[in-house]
Amino acid sequence: SYVLTQPPSVSVAPGKTARITCGGNNIGSKSVHWYQQKPGQAPVLVIYYDRDRPSGIPERFSGSNSGNTATLTISRVEAGDEADYYCQVWDSSYVVFGGGTKLTVL
Amino acid sequence: QITLKESGPTLVKPTQTLTLTCTFSGFSLSTSGVGVGWIRQPPGKALEWLALIYWNDDKRYSPSLKSRLTITKDTSKNQVVLTMTNMDPVDTATYYCAQTSNFHNWFDPWGQGTLVTVSS
């Protein structure tokens, strides 16, 4: 089965740039979607098709995908961005989620 | 506006069967391409996809849980039902339903989730 690997945690100072990676075998050939989940809340889609933002998601959120790594980039990080982030792909007719990354804003 | 809401028991005993209902509004499961999926999250752990069903009754299940899961839809009631047999304490989790599509395969929006505890 396909495996998505995320770092358990990423820390960043306010105003800086956070990069959260999602590794998978030839993930660049797949479409990657990203979700933000704040404590006690349901996940929210923040990036779809590698780099597209749903309406209402700030432009500070961006994505890329190439080779074996997809990346969610959050620019000018704010305290409100502190959350868990999950990547997701569709592989062989199944849904796969990454293990999640906790973003801490210092 | 699309909304989804999960309902079902908050407590089940080991070996029992769990039945959860996702009631949605703002879309129809008779519309081409539309689907509803179930995802769960044990306390403090990651998201885990369980199953999904499309407008044409095409169903997909997590390979690791396939033998225990059944997903059905009632288009007239705007509901999707998930049953999971032989519940175990490790199945304690918040269970979410979310809209999806076979055109894109992401989940948006999600329901608020319902916490199911498995304990004797």
Side-chain angles (χ1 to χ4, degrees):
Chain A
S1 61
Y2 195 76
V3 176
L4 294 175
T5 301
Q6 298 183 236
S9 63
V10 168
S11 299
V12 64
K16 300 299 186 181
T17 298
R19 293 179 179 85
I20 298 172
T21 59
C22 176
N25 184 34
N26 197 25
I27 194 174
S29 66
K30 304 181 185 299
S31 293
V32 180
H33 317 305
W34 290 91
Y35 302 87
Q36 176 193 66
Q37 185 181 33
K38 296 182 179 180
Q41 299 183 17
V44 172
L45 182 71
V46 293
I47 292 288
Y48 62 94
Y49 283 155
D50 300 338
R51 60 182 65 248
D52 292 337
R53 281 177 291 103
S55 60
I57 301 302
E59 292 183 7
R60 302 183 296 103
F61 288 80
S62 62
S64 63
N65 184 18
S66 178
N68 292 319
T69 305
T71 303
L72 172 69
T73 301
I74 309 172
S75 305
R76 302 181 299 282
V77 167
E78 303 174 355
D81 298 330
E82 188 161 284
D84 293 326
Y85 292 85
Y86 294 90
C87 56
Q88 178 239 315
V89 301
W90 178 260
D91 176 75
S92 302
S93 300
Y94 303 118
V95 175
V96 182
F97 283 100
T101 297
K102 179 176 181 59
L103 176 67
T104 299
V105 181
L106 301 171
Chain B
Q1 180 191 9
I2 293 173
T3 64
L4 304 97
K5 187 173 184 179
E6 307 85 353
S7 60
T10 58
L11 179 66
V12 298
K13 292 181 174 9
T15 75
Q16 287 186 337
T17 294
L18 171 68
T19 299
L20 293 173
T21 301
C22 176
T23 303
F24 56 86
S25 63
F27 67 96
S28 173
L29 254 181
S30 61
T31 301
S32 178
V34 174
V36 171
W38 285 94
I39 304 99
R40 72 178 179 179
Q41 185 174 38
K45 296 190 177 181
L47 301 172
E48 179 183 20
W49 171 68
L50 300 176
L52 59 80
I53 189 167
Y54 294 116
W55 89 104
N56 59 356
D57 213 36
D58 182 12
K59 304 170 186 178
R60 308 295 172 91
Y61 295 100
S62 165
S64 62
L65 292 167
K66 183 175 182 177
S67 64
R68 299 173 54 204
L69 296 173
T70 302
I71 190 169
T72 59
K73 63 181 176 67
D74 187 329
T75 304
S76 65
K77 293 183 178 180
N78 281 351
Q79 291 181 333
V80 171
V81 175
L82 181 75
T83 61
M84 180 179 292
T85 61
N86 195 24
M87 294 292 285
D88 183 272
V90 300
D91 296 314
T92 294
T94 296
Y95 288 75
Y96 297 98
C97 62
Q99 188 193 35
T100 186
S101 165
N102 70 342
F103 298 137
H104 58 59
N105 297 316
W106 63 73
F107 295 98
D108 180 58
W110 296 53
Q112 64 188 26
T114 185
L115 176 61
V116 179
T117 300
V118 185
S119 175
S120 55

